[in-house]
Amino acid sequence: MVSEVGYGAWGIGGKQWLGGDDRESLAALRKAIALGLNFIDTALAYGDGHSEQLVGQVVRESGQTVYVATKVPPKNQLWPARPGIGIQEVFPYRYIIECTEQSLRNLGLDHIDLQQLHVWNPEWIQQEDWRRAFEDLKRSGKVRFVGVSLNDHQPDSALELIETGLIDTVQVIYNIFDQSPEQRLFPLCQQRNIGVLARVPFDEGALTGQITRASQFHPADFRSFYFRGDRKRQVEERVAALKRDLAGVEGELPEIALRFCLSHPAVSTVIPGMRKEKHVEANVAASERGPLPESVLAILKKHAWEKNFYS
Ligand SMILES: NC(=O)c1ccc[n+]([C@@H]2O[C@H](COP(=O)([O-])OP(=O)(O)OC[C@H]3O[C@@H](n4cnc5c(N)ncnc54)[C@H](OP(=O)(O)O)[C@@H]3O)[C@@H](O)[C@H]2O)c1
């Protein structure tokens, strides 16, 4: 039983998202748990274990049941997974086990609630590396549930994997701009009782309404790549059109963006990144407002936007 709003812990890793600090991140994590959030999504790759260390510290000191999900990074360090690259280069058996052990040390916990592969390539479906590693990790008690974090904007890459019955969850991009998981992935997840982690609910900040032509990011910040070139202008225009259509609808855009995700019954938890306490407060409160009315969902449907800013 995970909270509808979980904690996306990429930003607090510090290396790919700049401008935060550990004191602020720890305060945000503590606030989230105090407000009843009980699910955190981190990864070994987030700040090379730094995010896991902060998460573990707060979870241990909380004395509460907080479920922690983490991820095994691709051994070849390539996000997303590329077609034609064999599993031996990305997730060999021994490597999955060793990364899990490293994550346990970073977290300072005796088990991981959900271990995920950080990329997925459907060509690996019959390979035994990931199957045996997941099975052995579960049997040893080091991991309770297993899943896969899907490549950006490729929800259908999990359809065959789900049919194997060997995974418990999928993590997928789902937000007002990318509504594609609704077509095939979500119905199958509901049918097979697969947990869904809706990631990047704000499209890396675009759907907070804070990205404008004037936004500036440090060159080493991931967002200077994501929102490069003409993209900030495109975002500003799309968000302005969205806000125009939402005039008269109660609630700020970030709240509506989260409630959009939570309105789909397949979604188990939505995991916004949030390094600031005020964002934690607003985001946790969004789940108390319930699903959006059909009339608002109909407006949002028209704002789907096919793009891939990760490439
Ligand atoms: N391949 C993968 O598996 C993968 C890839 C990407 C993300 N993820 C997971 O998904 C999580 C969420 O994605 P993300 O963190 O990349 O992006 P996101 O959740 O779409 O957006 C995060 C941004 O929104 C801001 N924000 C949060 N709440 C806000 C509010 N109420 N009002 C205004 N701004 C707000 C945050 O600011 P502050 O940080 O300053 O509070 C941050 O700049 C990640 O943390 C990670 O756990 C997984």
Side-chain angles (χ1 to χ4, degrees):
M1 293 298 288
V2 296
S3 51
E4 282 190 340
V5 174
Y7 194 108
W10 182 18
I12 65 168
K15 282 210 171 143
Q16 290 103 342
W17 289 68
L18 304 179
D21 63 59
D22 286 357
R23 233 183 43 180
E24 185 183 57
S25 302
L26 288 166
L29 279 165
R30 288 183 183 120
K31 171 68 76 179
I33 294 171
L35 292 174
L37 177 151
N38 75 355
F39 181 76
I40 304 176
D41 177 71
T42 180
L44 184 53
Y46 296 167
D48 297 327
H50 190 62
S51 171
E52 289 183 329
Q53 286 160 3
L54 297 180
V55 167
Q57 179 184 335
V58 171
V59 169
R60 290 193 313 272
E61 77 185 21
S62 78
Q64 295 183 36
T65 303
V66 180
Y67 302 107
V68 176
T70 192
K71 311 185 193 80
V72 183
K75 188 173 183 211
N76 61 358
Q77 291 291 308
L78 283 180
W79 278 268
R82 311 288 199 270
I85 299 188
I87 199 160
Q88 274 308 319
E89 282 182 48
V90 190
F91 292 126
Y93 170 86
R94 199 64 239 149
Y95 172 80
I96 296 176
I97 306 287
E98 281 165 11
C99 286
T100 303
E101 280 160 3
Q102 183 57 48
S103 289
L104 282 167
R105 282 192 292 276
N106 290 339
L107 289 161
L109 299 172
D110 63 5
H111 71 272
I112 290 164
D113 294 294
L114 173 63
Q115 179 61 298
Q116 307 158 97
L117 300 181
H118 209 147
V119 295
W120 177 248
N121 175 353
E123 293 164 12
W124 302 329
I125 195 117
Q126 295 303 335
Q127 302 298 313
E128 66 137 22
D129 293 73
W130 67 272
R131 291 171 175 242
R132 196 157 56 86
F134 274 178
E135 203 178 286
D136 288 354
L137 285 169
K138 273 185 166 180
R139 197 178 304 119
S140 67
K142 289 178 182 162
V143 159
R144 291 182 61 211
F145 295 98
V146 293
V148 164
S149 189
L150 301 175
N151 282 359
D152 309 317
H153 308 298
Q154 294 178 19
D156 290 355
S157 63
L159 300 179
E160 207 187 332
L161 175 63
I162 289 170
E163 298 287 7
T164 65
L166 296 173
I167 58 160
D168 303 296
T169 64
V170 290
Q171 179 173 148
V172 64
I173 295 178
Y174 181 55
N175 57 44
I176 295 170
F177 290 150
D178 185 355
Q179 307 186 17
S180 61
E182 291 174 10
Q183 290 162 23
R184 282 170 291 274
L185 180 67
F186 284 177
L188 184 63
C189 289
Q190 285 177 284
Q191 215 183 77
R192 299 298 162 105
N193 197 23
I194 297 291
V196 172
L197 284 65
R199 82 167 183 252
V200 200
F202 300 130
D203 186 25
E204 309 293 4
L207 284 164
T208 65
Q210 317 259 311
I211 305 293
T212 68
R213 264 167 256 237
S215 300
Q216 299 275 355
F217 300 106
H218 188 283
D221 190 304
F222 151 78
R223 290 165 297 175
S224 75
F225 168 82
Y226 192 79
F227 295 114
R228 70 190 182 277
D230 185 39
R231 293 172 172 184
K232 288 187 288 236
R233 182 193 58 79
Q234 294 179 45
V235 165
E236 192 181 317
E237 286 173 9
R238 291 274 176 169
V239 170
L242 178 59
K243 282 184 171 167
R244 267 196 306 276
D245 279 2
L246 287 171
V249 173
E250 210 190 314
E252 298 292 321
L253 184 56
E255 177 196 315
I256 292 173
L258 289 182
R259 289 174 68 203
F260 165 81
C261 299
L262 292 173
S263 296
H264 198 292
V267 172
S268 317
T269 185
V270 60
I271 49 168
M274 40 195 185
R275 293 169 297 172
K276 297 193 179 64
E277 279 185 85
K278 67 174 184 186
H279 290 160
V280 168
E281 282 165 3
N283 296 343
V284 172
S287 96
E288 283 147 27
R289 309 287 310 275
L292 291 168
E294 283 301 329
S295 55
V296 177
L297 290 173
I299 295 173
L300 298 181
K301 209 165 193 51
K302 291 186 280 180
H303 288 272
W305 178 17
E306 207 176 308
K307 63 173 173 50
N308 189 352
F309 281 7
Y310 296 95
S311 63

